[in-house]
Amino acid sequence: MESLQTLWMSTGLANFEFGQVVMMLVGCLLLFLAIAKNFEPLLLVPMGFGAILTNIPIAGFSEIGGLLHYIYYAGIDTGIFPLLIFMGVGAMTDFGALIANPKTLLLGAAAQFGIFATLFGAIALNAIPGFEFTLADASAIAIIGGADGPTAIFLASKLAPELLGAIAVAAYSYMALVPIIQPPIMRALTNEQERKIEMAQLRPVTKIEKVIFPLAVLMMTIFFLPAATPLVGMFCLGNLMRECGVVDRLSSTAQNELINIVTIFLGLGVGSKLSADKFLNVETLGILALGAVAFSIGTASGVLMAKLMNKFSQEPVNPLIGAAGVSAVPMAARVANKVGLEANPHNFLLMHAMGPNVAGVLGSAVAAGILLALVGG
Amino acid sequence: MDNLSQLFVEAGTLMLAGMVFVFAFLGILILFINIVLVKLADKYPDPIIQPKSQRNVAKSGNSATEGISPAIVAAISSAVNQYRQKNSKKK
């Protein structure tokens, strides 16, 4: 009889806590969004599964000795996984459109206003009882507005590890929702005439420019913002490997095998942070709301900046490409292209929008560096 | 409440400093591209290989199709026709 009792006590059914069941359902929801709705499936599948694993009673996946515990501490706590992903993203990024039309960097800069405005919003939420965000928490939440998964995870792991699960979920879900969040804002801030603007064709960019560019970005980061060099450095390494043309094998590994392997572990590690005690609270709701606000403000400020540029620049600038300033490569650029095509079926903005798009990646890495330097120190 | 207003001030400074810095950083990058990279591009243009290789491809493409003489094409197509007819008769 006693052994039966012991057997029963070692089953999952006897040990389930309410929170664990809810978090497993959250994990299943993430899996559903990934598989049925195709929301960032590469990350949400391992993340949702990690959320299920970490909430299994008794198995202790996220306790010392458990697999997810080690994955988290080896890769995310140290910042290694997001940085390796960033190297892969660098190896996939073509700066050609940006070098051909450098003023689009300003659009990438303007869209970062979403980050800093959300920082303000997160602090404002403290006025509501139940919220106690420190400046570090607020910074980690605000970076969701950078629309850059690895940057958000990197910064959150440094500034607010206890909020990492919620921040990663918010960042990746909103990145998947870019085609739904952005177009209404873009349409509201522009008129038909502006959306029809056709832009001049981009000049061809030579190889030497593409090789020097990542080195120049790295040099500037070293001079002005060493706190951002982990992110920018790995990004530039990946990009240099891509453009220099002598290490195609490394470049292809960085943008295929390596980034895939790391994505599996990153997803699992982030999933391990989706435990009931850390996720099921009012702060998570606040983070999800703030993330949406951050995205919207970023999109709006990018579009407004592009309108401003269109007024003052000799060459016409279609304001829609400003929305692509919120990184989320290449989704945001595709959205700009699509909204542009609706107004003018012969106007292909994709290449023009890639400029602010990759500028947004640089911009959010710089913003992350600023937050690290000013808040993390 | 006092604490909150202090946090607001800090967040405001962070916002201002952050935006100024992001714009300054990317602004300097614009200058760099416009001044240095464009000059470099003028000085060291890409060697013009692409048009040549395209021509080669075009040529080899032509020769590939030209290489097969009309007689061979005719022979192959008649063989295919015969084969098809035999197969259809069997059925």
Side-chain angles (χ1 to χ4, degrees), chain A residues 15-38:
Chain A
N15 286 282
F16 263 130
E17 289 162 20
F18 179 67
Q20 289 172 330
V21 180
V22 175
M23 286 317 293
M24 281 189 170
L25 290 177
V26 170
C28 290
L29 176 71
L30 293 180
L31 286 179
F32 171 77
L33 289 177
I35 297 167
K37 302 278 174 193
N38 218 11

Side-chain angles (χ1 to χ4, degrees), chain A residues 25-93:
Chain A
L25 290 177
V26 170
C28 290
L29 176 71
L30 293 180
L31 286 179
F32 171 77
L33 289 177
I35 297 167
K37 302 278 174 193
N38 218 11
F39 275 19
E40 297 283 328
L42 291 177
L43 207 93
L44 285 195
V45 168
M47 201 193 279
F49 211 87
I52 296 177
L53 290 182
T54 195
N55 286 292
I56 299 175
I58 307 180
F61 270 98
S62 298
E63 286 154 24
I64 293 171
L67 173 68
L68 296 185
H69 171 85
Y70 290 119
I71 290 179
Y72 179 82
Y73 278 95
I76 298 180
D77 193 45
T78 55
I80 291 176
F81 288 165
L83 293 178
L84 286 178
I85 299 246
F86 224 52
M87 180 173 79
V89 174
M92 287 192 233
T93 301

Side-chain angles (χ1 to χ4, degrees), chain A residues 208-209, chain B residues 32-44:
Chain A
I208 189 159
E209 290 174 278
Chain B
F32 180 85
I33 294 175
N34 279 336
I35 296 169
V36 182
L37 285 191
V38 171
K39 265 188 195 152
L40 273 177
D42 287 345
K43 229 178 193 179
Y44 305 97

Side-chain angles (χ1 to χ4, degrees), chain B residues 47-64:
Chain B
I48 311 165
I49 301 167
Q50 285 165 338
K52 269 185 190 168
S53 69
Q54 273 170 3
R55 256 179 241 149
N56 286 344
V57 170
K59 267 183 194 168
S60 65
N62 280 341
S63 64

